[in-house]
Amino acid sequence: PQLKHSNQQSKIVELMKNANLLCGDFVEYGAGKAGLSSFIALEADKKSSFIVVEREARRNKKDKEIRAQGIEVKREMMDIKDFDLSYFSDKKNIIGVAKHLCGGATDLSLASFKLVT
């Protein structure tokens, strides 16, 4: 299973790199252990920061890996429906990422960007 996740995350990062989406600040919705964020952080501009949103408690192992690269990461333990991006970030270049979201969670995630535009 770990290899499958690594392959998926590598492909997402490759697509982001091709689209010049590796500089900015990132929000990972439904982050779990923040595996996707940790892969993005390997290639992202070191001035980037991450907010990981997950409603369940996790061990935060990947958060430590991101911090070890000198990149700021904040973990918000809450439901996506309660997440207000404007409260957590005053930055304008924000990139939302997710790997496993249902349709309803995707809608809520996209709606959080409306609040800051």
Side-chain angles (χ1 to χ4, degrees), residues 32 55 106:
R55 69 176 165 196
T106 299

Side-chain angles (χ1 to χ4, degrees), residues 3-106:
L3 181 60
K4 179 177 94 172
H5 292 290
S6 296
N7 288 339
Q8 292 169 341
Q9 292 162 341
S10 294
K11 187 62 176 176
I12 291 168
V13 171
E14 178 186 329
L15 292 168
M16 291 176 73
K17 188 174 191 175
N18 291 342
N20 296 317
L21 292 174
L22 289 173
C23 27
D25 298 291
F26 300 89
V27 178
E28 182 179 0
Y29 294 93
K33 293 180 184 176
L36 180 55
S37 289
S38 70
F39 261 74
I40 294 169
L42 292 171
E43 298 287 331
D45 184 287
K46 297 308 173 194
K47 296 177 186 174
S48 298
S49 66
F50 288 82
I51 300 172
V52 293
V53 182
E54 174 61 46
R55 69 176 165 196
E56 298 175 9
R58 301 289 176 165
R59 291 189 338 222
N60 305 342
K61 181 178 179 182
K62 301 294 182 180
D63 298 23
K64 293 174 189 173
E65 291 177 15
I66 297 168
R67 284 189 191 99
Q69 297 177 55
I71 296 175
E72 178 186 357
V73 60
K74 292 186 241 179
R75 177 170 289 272
E76 297 301 328
M77 289 190 354
M78 65 177 59
D79 196 291
I80 293 171
K81 71 178 173 55
D82 300 320
F83 181 72
D84 180 350
L85 184 57
S86 64
Y87 177 77
F88 293 101
S89 180
D90 59 350
K91 300 174 183 178
K92 296 295 178 193
N93 190 19
I94 302 170
I95 301 159
V97 297
K99 197 169 133 192
H100 299 288
L101 288 181
C102 67
T106 299

